[in-house]
Amino acid sequence: MPFRYAGVIDRRSQIIVREQTDVIVIGGGQAGLAMSYHLTAQGRPHLVLEQDRLAESWRSKRWDSLRLIAPNWSLRLPGFQYQGADPDGFMSKDEVVAQLETYARSFAAPVRDGIRVTSVKRDPAGSYFLVHSEDGVYVASQVVVATGALQRPYIPGCGADLPPDVAQIVPYTYRNPAALPPGSVLVVGSGQSGCQIAEELRRSGRTVYLSVSGSGGMPRRYRGQDTSFWLRAVGWINQTVDDLPAGARSGLPNPQLTGAGGGHDMTVYTLAREGVVMLGHVQGVRAGKMLFAPDLAVSLAKGDEQARRFVRSIDDHIREYGLDAPAEGFPGCLVPADDLNPATPEELDLTKAGIAAVVWATGYRPDLHWVRLPVLDAEGYPIQRRGVTSEPGLYFLGLDWLYKRNSGLFSGMSEDAAYLAAVIMEQSLAMTTPVS
């Protein structure tokens, strides 16, 4: 039920209340749209505030050649799924934007573009939320923060010690090989983004060094199905935070996959066969040299064990349910390259190696400093359970491992949005039901 805000914000600063509504959703990407769909279905007045354009992270925080890492059929949101002619293909970032625009139009999502939120606070009486923006203040009884997982890229402190002539970029500022200065490139991090960028750079003719983490690979297809099918079938994407070790923020890294070129095998071993030079973890920079830990063999062993578990879980699933799936040997893309030497150098002279750029594919951290409420831990992560915080009416959506492994993916945020919509309805009823 719509409400009327009667509080005084601050007469001296002459803050303008632009609008008031039941729920404000902050972020106009897939998470915000999924939330808006459920609120629309409830008939609940709400606004979606997006600081740039709808689906902006897909427009400007992805490199040119990026493709979905899962087939097009995996694009499923509440009340919407891929209906195109190529369900087994891998759509480009621009095609994802088009899909999300179609989705928003399908239920007339109330998205306000160009509204940058600068803070979320309680009103002086503690009754409502004040969502401050550069355009004024919006007032709501409930707020959903759906700003996504790609917020603040993590760059190790040693990045400050790199020579000034070495360009430093992160995956969401990388566009294509031609945009980098001429020369060799060091990619730090061998997850999906790091490996995809390393592959593209190597195939463009660059000399590429890859600092390897413990992420494992998977074949693009195995035993007659795309790996994305199997990861769903065996329940991998349905692991919850309750399955994680105490204190852990995430489980095993996502497997190395790519949808580029129609989808093909891509692992650290396929990259090694193409000439990418493997190195251990970055430990620091000293006198123009990048220092590495002697742990490449350890990292590769971790990734190998993860890959073997993936493959074994698929074989076990097929056997347990008697599925008609063609027999297949252990995937060749998971077999170490014959000439891969785990005894790698512990330092790299950046000048002699001709390193012109370092790509920090080292993950992301939240950037939620503008949430001015006691719901963040010491590292800035939201303290929540399935997106619900201790601050009544404040929720989070779309973060990695918000509840399940796939919470940051289309399918996972759909489930999370449905759950939060039910909580919002319950809380709204509690707010409007008289106490007897």
Side-chain angles (χ1 to χ4, degrees):
M1 177 181 297
F3 65 90
R4 296 296 300 169
Y5 176 70
V8 176
I9 297 177
D10 187 340
R11 297 184 191 278
R12 291 173 299 175
S13 59
Q14 297 182 337
I15 294 175
I16 301 172
V17 175
R18 288 294 182 186
E19 201 160 347
Q20 56 188 47
T21 188
D22 276 10
V23 184
I24 287 179
V25 180
I26 303 173
Q30 56 261 37
L33 292 178
M35 191 74 251
S36 179
Y37 176 89
H38 286 291
L39 295 174
T40 299
Q42 290 180 2
R44 189 165 305 285
H46 69 284
L47 294 173
V48 179
L49 304 184
E50 165 55 47
Q51 66 177 346
D52 292 303
R53 297 165 293 176
L54 185 147
E56 184 62 35
S57 65
W58 285 99
R59 299 176 193 269
S60 61
K61 293 186 177 181
R62 305 295 198 277
W63 58 90
D64 296 345
S65 65
L66 181 73
R67 297 275 174 164
L68 283 183
I69 60 165
N72 295 337
W73 55 256
S74 69
L75 197 157
R76 298 171 181 172
L77 288 164
F80 182 86
Q81 65 181 50
Y82 176 79
Q83 296 290 338
D86 188 20
D88 295 318
F90 301 87
M91 70 178 72
S92 68
K93 66 185 185 70
D94 293 338
E95 291 171 319
V96 173
V97 171
Q99 291 283 323
L100 293 177
E101 288 176 332
T102 299
Y103 181 49
R105 288 193 299 269
S106 72
F107 62 94
V111 179
R112 301 287 177 82
D113 289 345
I115 306 296
R116 181 176 176 271
V117 172
T118 57
S119 69
V120 176
K121 306 175 182 178
R122 283 286 187 185
D123 76 320
S127 302
Y128 304 114
F129 291 100
L130 303 179
V131 179
H132 291 250
S133 78
E134 295 174 344
D135 187 49
V137 177
Y138 294 78
V139 182
S141 58
Q142 302 188 72
V143 170
V144 181
V145 178
T147 49
L150 302 181
Q151 295 175 346
R152 178 170 57 88
Y154 171 71
I155 298 177
C158 65
D161 299 323
L162 283 169
D165 60 339
V166 175
Q168 299 187 60
I169 61 175
V170 295
Y172 74 41
T173 60
Y174 171 75
R175 292 296 171 264
N176 54 61
L180 297 185
S184 304
V185 181
L186 169 64
V187 179
V188 182
S190 59
Q192 289 175 356
S193 296
C195 284
Q196 288 181 44
I197 292 172
E199 181 183 67
E200 178 171 84
L201 289 169
R202 179 60 191 148
R203 291 184 175 185
S204 75
R206 301 275 187 140
T207 297
V208 179
Y209 298 84
L210 180 65
S211 174
V212 176
S213 56
S215 182
M218 276 295 287
R220 181 68 269 176
R221 293 181 63 82
Y222 181 64
R223 301 198 65 176
Q225 295 286 352
D226 188 89
T227 284
S228 296
F229 170 88
W230 291 123
L231 293 179
R232 287 161 172 76
V234 304
W236 181 82
I237 65 171
N238 289 320
Q239 293 172 330
T240 72
V241 293
D242 298 324
D243 300 319
L244 298 176
R249 295 196 185 277
S250 64
L252 294 172
N254 291 329
Q256 296 152 354
L257 289 169
T258 182
H264 60 269
D265 292 341
M266 182 208 65
T267 68
V268 290
Y269 296 131
T270 66
L271 295 179
R273 292 186 183 100
E274 293 191 34
V276 174
V277 181
M278 303 294 162
L279 299 165
H281 277 87
V282 169
Q283 288 198 310
V285 179
R286 184 176 61 231
K289 297 179 180 180
M290 186 76 82
L291 308 180
F292 300 92
D295 62 356
L296 176 60
V298 173
S299 294
L300 292 174
K302 287 181 180 178
D304 290 348
E305 177 56 29
Q306 177 182 327
R308 283 192 292 269
R309 281 202 296 269
F310 283 145
V311 173
R312 187 163 55 243
S313 67
I314 295 169
D315 291 337
D316 291 345
H317 180 81
I318 291 171
R319 183 167 50 254
E320 179 180 356
Y321 290 94
L323 302 182
D324 182 15
E328 188 172 333
F330 191 74
C333 64
L334 305 179
V335 177
D338 293 337
D339 57 350
L340 180 60
N341 180 12
T344 57
E346 295 183 26
E347 63 180 36
L348 182 68
D349 187 306
L350 299 172
T351 300
K352 290 182 179 179
I355 299 295
V358 173
V359 180
W360 296 106
T362 43
Y364 296 85
R365 303 291 187 271
D367 186 10
L368 299 167
H369 65 279
W370 46 271
V371 178
R372 307 289 176 79
L373 294 161
V375 296
L376 306 179
D377 67 15
E379 297 180 65
Y381 286 85
I383 303 169
Q384 50 79 32
R385 175 68 181 176
R386 295 198 72 173
V388 181
T389 74
S390 60
E391 191 74 27
L394 180 65
Y395 315 98
F396 288 86
L397 180 65
L399 296 176
D400 291 338
W401 283 95
L402 184 79
Y403 179 57
K404 290 185 177 181
R405 176 183 284 277
N406 67 338
S407 285
L409 306 177
F410 288 108
S411 59
M413 65 187 61
S414 299
E415 183 178 346
D416 291 341
Y419 177 81
L420 289 183
V423 173
I424 288 172
M425 174 175 283
E426 181 180 351
Q427 182 156 336
S428 297
L429 291 173
M431 292 169 62
T432 56
T433 301
V435 178
S436 57

Coordinates of all heavy atoms in Angstrom, one line a residue, residues 91-152:
M91 N 25.7 -16.2 -26.6 CA 25.4 -14.9 -27.1 C 26.5 -13.9 -26.6 O 27.1 -14.1 -25.6 CB 24.0 -14.4 -26.7 CG 23.9 -14.2 -25.2 SD 22.2 -13.6 -24.8 CE 21.2 -15.1 -25.1
S92 N 26.6 -12.9 -27.4 CA 27.6 -11.8 -27.1 C 27.0 -10.9 -26.0 O 25.8 -10.9 -25.7 CB 27.9 -11.0 -28.4 OG 26.7 -10.2 -28.7
K93 N 27.9 -10.0 -25.5 CA 27.4 -9.1 -24.5 C 26.3 -8.2 -25.0 O 25.4 -7.8 -24.3 CB 28.6 -8.3 -23.9 CG 29.3 -7.3 -24.9 CD 30.5 -6.7 -24.3 CE 31.1 -5.6 -25.2 NZ 30.2 -4.4 -25.3
D94 N 26.4 -7.8 -26.3 CA 25.4 -6.9 -26.8 C 24.1 -7.6 -27.0 O 23.0 -7.0 -26.8 CB 25.8 -6.4 -28.2 CG 27.0 -5.4 -28.1 OD1 27.3 -4.8 -27.0 OD2 27.8 -5.3 -29.1
E95 N 24.1 -8.9 -27.3 CA 22.9 -9.7 -27.3 C 22.3 -9.9 -26.0 O 21.1 -9.9 -25.8 CB 23.2 -11.0 -28.0 CG 23.5 -10.9 -29.5 CD 24.1 -12.2 -30.1 OE1 24.9 -12.9 -29.4 OE2 23.7 -12.6 -31.2
V96 N 23.1 -10.0 -24.9 CA 22.6 -10.1 -23.6 C 21.9 -8.8 -23.2 O 20.8 -8.8 -22.7 CB 23.7 -10.3 -22.6 CG1 23.2 -10.2 -21.1 CG2 24.4 -11.7 -22.8
V97 N 22.5 -7.6 -23.6 CA 21.8 -6.3 -23.3 C 20.4 -6.3 -24.0 O 19.4 -5.9 -23.4 CB 22.7 -5.2 -23.8 CG1 21.9 -3.9 -23.8 CG2 23.9 -5.1 -23.0
A98 N 20.4 -6.8 -25.3 CA 19.1 -6.8 -26.0 C 18.1 -7.7 -25.3 O 16.9 -7.3 -25.2 CB 19.3 -7.2 -27.4
Q99 N 18.5 -8.8 -24.8 CA 17.6 -9.7 -24.1 C 17.1 -9.0 -22.8 O 15.9 -9.1 -22.5 CB 18.3 -11.0 -23.7 CG 18.7 -11.9 -24.9 CD 17.5 -12.7 -25.4 OE1 16.6 -13.1 -24.6 NE2 17.4 -12.8 -26.7
L100 N 18.0 -8.3 -22.1 CA 17.5 -7.7 -20.9 C 16.6 -6.5 -21.2 O 15.7 -6.2 -20.4 CB 18.7 -7.2 -20.0 CG 19.6 -8.4 -19.5 CD1 20.8 -7.8 -18.7 CD2 18.8 -9.3 -18.5
E101 N 16.9 -5.8 -22.2 CA 16.0 -4.7 -22.6 C 14.6 -5.2 -23.0 O 13.6 -4.7 -22.6 CB 16.5 -3.9 -23.8 CG 17.8 -3.1 -23.5 CD 18.4 -2.4 -24.7 OE1 18.2 -3.0 -25.8 OE2 19.0 -1.3 -24.5
T102 N 14.6 -6.4 -23.7 CA 13.3 -7.0 -24.0 C 12.6 -7.4 -22.7 O 11.3 -7.3 -22.6 CB 13.5 -8.2 -24.9 OG1 14.1 -7.8 -26.1 CG2 12.2 -8.9 -25.2
Y103 N 13.3 -8.0 -21.8 CA 12.7 -8.4 -20.5 C 12.1 -7.3 -19.8 O 11.0 -7.3 -19.3 CB 13.8 -9.1 -19.7 CG 13.4 -9.6 -18.4 CD1 12.3 -10.4 -18.2 CD2 14.1 -9.3 -17.2 CE1 11.9 -10.9 -17.0 CE2 13.7 -9.8 -16.0 CZ 12.6 -10.6 -15.9 OH 12.2 -11.1 -14.7
A104 N 12.9 -6.1 -19.7 CA 12.3 -5.0 -19.0 C 11.0 -4.5 -19.6 O 10.1 -4.1 -18.9 CB 13.4 -3.9 -18.9
R105 N 11.0 -4.5 -21.0 CA 9.8 -4.0 -21.6 C 8.6 -4.9 -21.4 O 7.4 -4.5 -21.4 CB 10.1 -3.8 -23.1 CG 11.0 -2.7 -23.5 CD 10.9 -2.4 -25.0 NE 11.4 -3.5 -25.8 CZ 12.6 -3.7 -26.2 NH1 13.6 -2.8 -25.8 NH2 13.0 -4.8 -26.9
S106 N 8.9 -6.2 -21.2 CA 7.8 -7.2 -21.2 C 6.9 -7.0 -20.0 O 5.7 -7.4 -20.0 CB 8.4 -8.6 -21.1 OG 9.1 -8.9 -19.9
F107 N 7.4 -6.4 -18.9 CA 6.5 -6.1 -17.8 C 6.6 -4.6 -17.4 O 6.2 -4.2 -16.3 CB 6.8 -7.0 -16.6 CG 8.2 -6.9 -16.0 CD1 8.5 -6.0 -15.0 CD2 9.3 -7.6 -16.6 CE1 9.7 -5.9 -14.4 CE2 10.5 -7.5 -16.0 CZ 10.8 -6.6 -15.0
A108 N 7.1 -3.8 -18.3 CA 7.1 -2.3 -18.1 C 7.9 -2.0 -16.8 O 7.3 -1.3 -15.9 CB 5.7 -1.7 -18.1
A109 N 9.1 -2.5 -16.6 CA 9.8 -2.3 -15.4 C 10.1 -0.8 -15.2 O 10.5 -0.1 -16.1 CB 11.2 -3.0 -15.5
P110 N 9.8 -0.3 -14.0 CA 9.9 1.2 -13.7 C 11.4 1.6 -13.5 O 11.7 2.0 -12.4 CB 9.0 1.4 -12.5 CG 9.1 0.0 -11.8 CD 9.2 -1.0 -12.8
V111 N 12.2 1.5 -14.5 CA 13.6 1.8 -14.4 C 13.8 3.3 -14.6 O 13.4 3.8 -15.6 CB 14.4 1.0 -15.4 CG1 15.9 1.3 -15.3 CG2 14.2 -0.5 -15.2
R112 N 14.6 3.9 -13.7 CA 15.0 5.3 -13.9 C 16.5 5.3 -14.1 O 17.3 5.0 -13.3 CB 14.7 6.1 -12.6 CG 13.2 6.1 -12.2 CD 12.4 7.0 -13.1 NE 11.0 6.9 -12.8 CZ 10.4 7.7 -11.8 NH1 11.1 8.5 -11.1 NH2 9.1 7.6 -11.6
D113 N 16.8 5.6 -15.4 CA 18.2 5.7 -15.8 C 18.9 7.0 -15.3 O 18.2 8.0 -15.1 CB 18.4 5.6 -17.3 CG 18.0 4.2 -17.8 OD1 18.0 3.3 -17.1 OD2 17.9 4.1 -19.1
G114 N 20.2 6.9 -15.1 CA 21.0 8.1 -14.8 C 20.7 8.6 -13.4 O 21.0 9.8 -13.1
I115 N 20.3 7.7 -12.5 CA 20.1 8.1 -11.1 C 21.2 7.5 -10.2 O 21.1 6.3 -9.9 CB 18.7 7.8 -10.5 CG1 17.6 8.4 -11.5 CG2 18.5 8.3 -9.1 CD1 17.6 9.9 -11.5
R116 N 22.2 8.2 -9.9 CA 23.3 7.6 -9.1 C 23.0 7.8 -7.6 O 23.0 8.9 -7.1 CB 24.6 8.3 -9.5 CG 25.8 7.7 -8.7 CD 27.1 8.4 -9.2 NE 28.3 7.9 -8.4 CZ 28.7 8.5 -7.2 NH1 28.0 9.6 -6.8 NH2 29.7 8.0 -6.6
V117 N 22.9 6.7 -6.9 CA 22.6 6.7 -5.5 C 23.9 7.0 -4.8 O 25.0 6.3 -5.0 CB 22.0 5.3 -5.0 CG1 22.0 5.3 -3.5 CG2 20.6 5.2 -5.6
T118 N 23.9 7.9 -3.8 CA 25.1 8.3 -3.1 C 25.0 7.8 -1.6 O 26.1 7.7 -1.0 CB 25.3 9.8 -3.1 OG1 24.1 10.4 -2.6 CG2 25.5 10.3 -4.5
S119 N 23.9 7.5 -1.1 CA 23.8 6.9 0.2 C 22.4 6.4 0.5 O 21.4 6.8 -0.2 CB 24.1 8.0 1.3 OG 23.1 9.0 1.4
V120 N 22.3 5.4 1.4 CA 21.1 4.9 1.9 C 21.1 5.0 3.4 O 22.0 4.5 4.1 CB 20.9 3.4 1.5 CG1 19.6 2.9 2.1 CG2 20.8 3.3 0.0
K121 N 20.1 5.7 3.9 CA 20.0 5.9 5.4 C 18.6 5.7 5.9 O 17.7 5.6 5.1 CB 20.5 7.4 5.7 CG 21.8 7.8 5.2 CD 22.1 9.3 5.5 CE 23.4 9.8 4.9 NZ 23.6 11.2 5.2
R122 N 18.4 5.8 7.2 CA 17.1 5.8 7.8 C 16.7 7.3 7.9 O 17.6 8.2 8.0 CB 17.1 5.2 9.2 CG 17.1 3.7 9.2 CD 15.8 3.1 8.8 NE 15.7 1.7 9.0 CZ 14.7 0.9 8.7 NH1 13.6 1.5 8.1 NH2 14.7 -0.4 8.8
D123 N 15.4 7.6 7.9 CA 15.0 8.9 8.1 C 15.1 9.2 9.6 O 15.4 8.3 10.4 CB 13.5 9.1 7.7 CG 12.5 8.5 8.6 OD1 12.8 7.4 9.1 OD2 11.5 9.1 8.9
P124 N 15.1 10.5 10.0 CA 15.4 10.8 11.4 C 14.5 10.0 12.4 O 14.9 9.7 13.5 CB 15.1 12.3 11.5 CG 15.4 12.8 10.1 CD 15.0 11.7 9.2
A125 N 13.3 9.7 12.0 CA 12.4 9.0 12.9 C 12.6 7.5 12.9 O 12.0 6.8 13.7 CB 10.9 9.4 12.6
G126 N 13.4 7.0 11.9 CA 13.7 5.6 11.8 C 12.6 4.8 11.2 O 12.5 3.6 11.3
S127 N 11.6 5.5 10.5 CA 10.5 4.8 9.9 C 10.7 4.3 8.5 O 10.2 3.3 8.1 CB 9.2 5.7 9.9 OG 9.0 6.1 11.3
Y128 N 11.4 5.1 7.7 CA 11.6 4.8 6.3 C 13.1 4.9 5.9 O 13.9 5.3 6.7 CB 10.8 5.7 5.5 CG 9.3 5.7 5.8 CD1 8.7 6.8 6.4 CD2 8.5 4.6 5.6 CE1 7.3 6.8 6.7 CE2 7.2 4.6 5.9 CZ 6.6 5.7 6.5 OH 5.3 5.6 6.8
F129 N 13.3 4.5 4.7 CA 14.7 4.7 4.1 C 14.8 6.0 3.3 O 13.8 6.2 2.5 CB 15.1 3.5 3.3 CG 15.3 2.2 4.1 CD1 14.3 1.3 4.1 CD2 16.5 2.0 4.7 CE1 14.4 0.1 4.8 CE2 16.6 0.8 5.5 CZ 15.6 -0.1 5.5
L130 N 15.9 6.7 3.4 CA 16.1 7.8 2.6 C 17.2 7.4 1.6 O 18.4 7.2 2.0 CB 16.6 9.0 3.4 CG 15.6 9.5 4.5 CD1 16.2 10.6 5.3 CD2 14.2 9.8 3.9
V131 N 16.9 7.4 0.3 CA 17.9 7.0 -0.7 C 18.3 8.3 -1.4 O 17.6 8.8 -2.2 CB 17.2 6.0 -1.7 CG1 18.2 5.6 -2.8 CG2 16.7 4.7 -1.0
H132 N 19.5 8.7 -1.0 CA 20.0 10.0 -1.5 C 20.7 9.7 -2.9 O 21.4 8.7 -3.1 CB 21.1 10.5 -0.6 CG 20.5 11.0 0.7 ND1 20.5 12.4 1.1 CD2 20.0 10.4 1.8 CE1 19.9 12.5 2.2 NE2 19.6 11.3 2.7
S133 N 20.4 10.6 -3.8 CA 21.0 10.5 -5.1 C 21.5 11.9 -5.5 O 21.2 12.9 -4.9 CB 20.0 10.0 -6.1 OG 19.1 11.0 -6.5
E134 N 22.2 12.0 -6.6 CA 22.6 13.3 -7.2 C 21.4 14.1 -7.7 O 21.6 15.3 -8.0 CB 23.7 13.1 -8.3 CG 24.9 12.5 -7.7 CD 25.9 12.1 -8.8 OE1 25.5 12.1 -10.0 OE2 27.1 11.9 -8.5
D135 N 20.3 13.4 -7.8 CA 19.1 14.1 -8.3 C 18.1 14.4 -7.2 O 17.0 14.9 -7.4 CB 18.4 13.1 -9.3 CG 17.2 13.8 -10.0 OD1 17.4 14.9 -10.5 OD2 16.1 13.1 -10.0
G136 N 18.5 14.2 -5.9 CA 17.5 14.4 -4.8 C 17.4 13.1 -4.0 O 18.2 12.2 -4.1
V137 N 16.3 13.1 -3.2 CA 16.1 12.0 -2.2 C 14.9 11.3 -2.6 O 13.8 11.8 -2.9 CB 16.0 12.5 -0.8 CG1 15.7 11.4 0.2 CG2 17.3 13.2 -0.4
Y138 N 15.0 9.9 -2.6 CA 13.8 9.0 -2.8 C 13.5 8.4 -1.5 O 14.5 8.0 -0.7 CB 14.1 8.0 -3.9 CG 14.3 8.6 -5.2 CD1 15.5 9.2 -5.6 CD2 13.3 8.5 -6.2 CE1 15.7 9.7 -6.9 CE2 13.5 9.1 -7.4 CZ 14.7 9.7 -7.8 OH 14.8 10.3 -9.0
V139 N 12.3 8.2 -1.2 CA 11.9 7.7 0.1 C 11.1 6.4 -0.1 O 10.3 6.3 -1.0 CB 10.9 8.7 0.9 CG1 10.5 8.1 2.2 CG2 11.6 10.0 1.0
A140 N 11.4 5.3 0.7 CA 10.8 4.0 0.6 C 10.7 3.3 1.9 O 11.5 3.6 2.8 CB 11.5 3.2 -0.5
S141 N 9.8 2.4 2.0 CA 9.7 1.6 3.3 C 10.7 0.5 3.2 O 11.0 -0.1 4.3 CB 8.3 1.2 3.5 OG 7.8 0.4 2.4
Q142 N 11.1 0.0 2.0 CA 12.0 -1.1 1.9 C 12.9 -0.8 0.7 O 12.6 -0.1 -0.3 CB 11.2 -2.4 1.6 CG 10.2 -2.7 2.8 CD 9.6 -4.1 2.7 OE1 10.3 -5.1 2.9 NE2 8.4 -4.2 2.4
V143 N 14.2 -1.4 0.8 CA 15.2 -1.1 -0.2 C 15.9 -2.4 -0.5 O 16.2 -3.2 0.4 CB 16.2 -0.1 0.3 CG1 17.4 0.0 -0.7 CG2 15.6 1.3 0.4
V144 N 16.1 -2.7 -1.8 CA 16.8 -3.9 -2.3 C 18.1 -3.3 -3.0 O 18.0 -2.6 -4.0 CB 16.0 -4.7 -3.2 CG1 16.9 -6.0 -3.7 CG2 14.7 -5.2 -2.6
V145 N 19.3 -3.7 -2.5 CA 20.5 -3.3 -3.1 C 20.9 -4.4 -4.1 O 21.2 -5.6 -3.7 CB 21.6 -3.1 -2.1 CG1 23.0 -2.8 -2.8 CG2 21.3 -2.0 -1.1
A146 N 20.8 -4.1 -5.4 CA 21.0 -5.1 -6.5 C 22.0 -4.6 -7.4 O 21.8 -4.6 -8.6 CB 19.7 -5.5 -7.2
T147 N 23.2 -4.2 -6.9 CA 24.2 -3.5 -7.7 C 25.2 -4.5 -8.3 O 26.2 -4.1 -9.0 CB 25.0 -2.5 -6.9 OG1 25.4 -3.1 -5.6 CG2 24.1 -1.3 -6.6
G148 N 25.0 -5.8 -8.1 CA 25.8 -6.8 -8.8 C 27.1 -7.1 -8.1 O 27.5 -6.6 -7.0
A149 N 27.9 -8.0 -8.7 CA 29.1 -8.5 -8.1 C 30.4 -7.8 -8.6 O 31.4 -7.9 -8.0 CB 29.2 -10.0 -8.4
L150 N 30.3 -7.2 -9.8 CA 31.5 -6.5 -10.4 C 31.6 -5.1 -9.9 O 31.2 -4.1 -10.5 CB 31.4 -6.5 -11.9 CG 31.3 -7.9 -12.6 CD1 31.3 -7.7 -14.1 CD2 32.5 -8.8 -12.1
Q151 N 32.0 -4.9 -8.6 CA 32.0 -3.6 -8.0 C 33.4 -3.0 -7.9 O 33.8 -2.2 -8.7 CB 31.4 -3.6 -6.7 CG 29.9 -4.0 -6.7 CD 29.2 -4.2 -5.4 OE1 29.9 -4.3 -4.4 NE2 27.9 -4.2 -5.4
R152 N 34.2 -3.5 -7.0 CA 35.6 -2.9 -6.8 C 36.6 -4.0 -7.2 O 36.7 -5.0 -6.4 CB 35.8 -2.4 -5.4 CG 37.2 -1.9 -5.1 CD 37.2 -1.2 -3.7 NE 36.7 -2.1 -2.7 CZ 37.5 -2.9 -2.0 NH1 38.8 -2.9 -2.3 NH2 37.1 -3.7 -1.0

